[in-house]
Amino acid sequence: LRVTKHFEPQLRTRLNDGRVDLAGRFVSAGTVEKGDEPLSAVYRVNADLTVETLHYGVRCGNSICFTSHGGMFFADPAFTAGNRDRQSDQASRCNAIWHFPDYAASGMLKALPFVEAVGRPDGSIIDEEGCLWNAEFGGGRVVRYRQDGTIDMVVDVPTKHPTCATFGGPALDTLYITDASIFAASRLSKKRRPELADGLAGGLFWVRLPVR
């Protein structure tokens, strides 16, 4: 199934993160390959295959996931809450994860700060208790946040650049974690390139948890 031949043609961007919302629509965000300009956006592919733009001005969209109550989470270092046509006093912090509690009704129009992560927020998921699990790119860990934003659990990863996590296994109590340390190292000069953990960088990891 091809919805579009090219993603943001003429721009130095690529698709970065995406999830299916509760209505079965695919929501995705791009990232800028070179430079810091917020050239990309957040898009939603509807059931009739029409594509609508939910938010402009994205530098590196991440952490897209949805709650059972119709809310959405999103992270981007260039994100600014409030009116899109003017600067807001809720300027984004680089490691902030934002909550859109009214996503089901109004998309990404109303944003509330959820947490300021220690590491750079990458992929996120929601478990059956409504808690958010976020992979910290460059932080070497996956963090579980309760609905009030407090940290409840931390899974340390043996590599520095985990990208996302998902639950699987017969009881759905196994957390699988992907890593992009090889990719991250390849974007650095040889002098700055760290030594990668032998046999672990770029791996797929799993851990059994008391939640699912």
Side-chain angles (χ1 to χ4, degrees):
L1 176 63
R2 176 175 287 181
V3 177
T4 180
K5 184 176 181 179
H6 300 291
F7 178 74
E8 298 180 333
Q10 311 304 319
L11 296 178
R12 51 184 187 276
T13 60
R14 63 171 172 80
L15 192 65
N16 192 63
D17 188 48
R19 287 285 187 281
V20 175
D21 68 14
L22 297 186
R25 300 167 297 185
F26 181 61
V27 179
S28 62
T31 184
V32 179
E33 286 280 70
K34 293 183 179 180
D36 295 327
E37 295 179 82
L39 302 175
S40 195
V42 180
Y43 303 97
R44 183 167 64 194
V45 181
N46 298 310
D48 60 1
L49 300 187
T50 58
V51 180
E52 59 182 308
T53 303
L54 298 179
H55 176 69
Y56 294 96
V58 171
R59 184 187 305 164
C60 184
N62 268 308
S63 200
I64 297 173
C65 58
F66 302 93
T67 71
S68 60
H69 302 295
M72 172 184 172
F73 289 94
F74 175 70
D76 175 40
F79 182 80
T80 300
N83 192 316
R84 298 177 186 172
D85 299 323
R86 61 181 174 82
Q87 289 292 326
S88 168
D89 58 359
Q90 285 186 307
S92 172
R93 296 157 293 181
C94 287
N95 291 343
I97 298 177
W98 297 85
H99 183 207
F100 302 81
D102 300 324
Y103 164 80
S106 59
M108 297 179 69
L109 292 179
K110 182 180 179 181
L112 298 175
F114 177 59
V115 295
E116 176 76 10
V118 174
R120 177 179 169 186
D122 209 312
S124 289
I125 55 170
I126 304 293
D127 64 22
E128 69 174 358
E129 297 179 3
C131 297
L132 182 145
W133 292 81
N134 176 252
E136 292 188 355
F137 190 82
R141 64 181 195 167
V142 177
V143 181
R144 185 191 197 227
Y145 295 97
R146 291 191 174 275
Q147 295 182 41
D148 61 2
T150 56
I151 293 178
D152 175 66
M153 199 178 305
V154 175
V155 175
D156 291 319
V157 183
T159 53
K160 193 175 180 181
H161 295 89
T163 54
C164 200
T166 189
F167 283 97
L172 294 179
D173 59 351
T174 301
L175 189 72
Y176 293 93
I177 304 166
T178 54
D179 172 75
S181 290
I182 295 176
F183 169 76
S186 70
R187 299 172 71 90
L188 300 174
S189 65
K190 290 185 178 180
K191 290 183 178 180
R192 297 178 56 201
R193 196 169 297 171
E195 184 175 347
L196 300 176
D198 186 29
L200 296 176
L204 175 66
F205 308 99
W206 66 271
V207 59
R208 196 70 52 79
L209 296 171
V211 297
R212 59 182 183 175

